[in-house]
Amino acid sequence: RSLTVAFAGTHVVTLPNAVYAEGSEIYIRTTLPNAVNSSANTVVPVTGTSTSNYICGATDGAWALLRSDGTNWVTIASSQV
């Protein structure tokens, strides 16, 4: 799955429930300086272990690849570390 955010401003996306999506991946990218956040605190950053709702910062071309571990969405790779 992939999602491109092409609207100005901060966006909130509702990710699928990680419990039912184990092993699934979602690629999210921006084409404008948009911040993208999850509607729930279930995203684990590349460089951490605590969950938050942060997916991408407000930078042109920001992207993140998320994978469900059966509990949370883990950021596997990102343009912003």
Side-chain angles (χ1 to χ4, degrees):
R1 297 179 190 183
S2 66
L3 173 67
T4 299
V5 179
F7 301 100
T10 298
H11 297 279
V12 176
V13 296
T14 301
L15 299 170
N17 188 324
V19 172
Y20 303 112
E22 186 170 3
S24 296
E25 293 183 345
I26 298 175
Y27 175 76
I28 298 173
R29 74 180 184 104
T30 65
T31 58
L32 295 170
N34 313 315
V36 181
N37 296 310
S38 170
S39 61
N41 287 336
T42 59
V43 179
V44 179
V46 171
T47 59
T49 57
S50 298
T51 59
S52 73
N53 68 338
Y54 174 85
I55 297 174
C56 293
T59 303
D60 287 349
W63 60 269
L65 176 62
L66 309 176
R67 181 181 300 144
S68 169
D69 66 0
T71 303
N72 295 301
W73 286 95
V74 179
T75 307
I76 300 302
S78 174
S79 61
Q80 301 172 325
V81 177

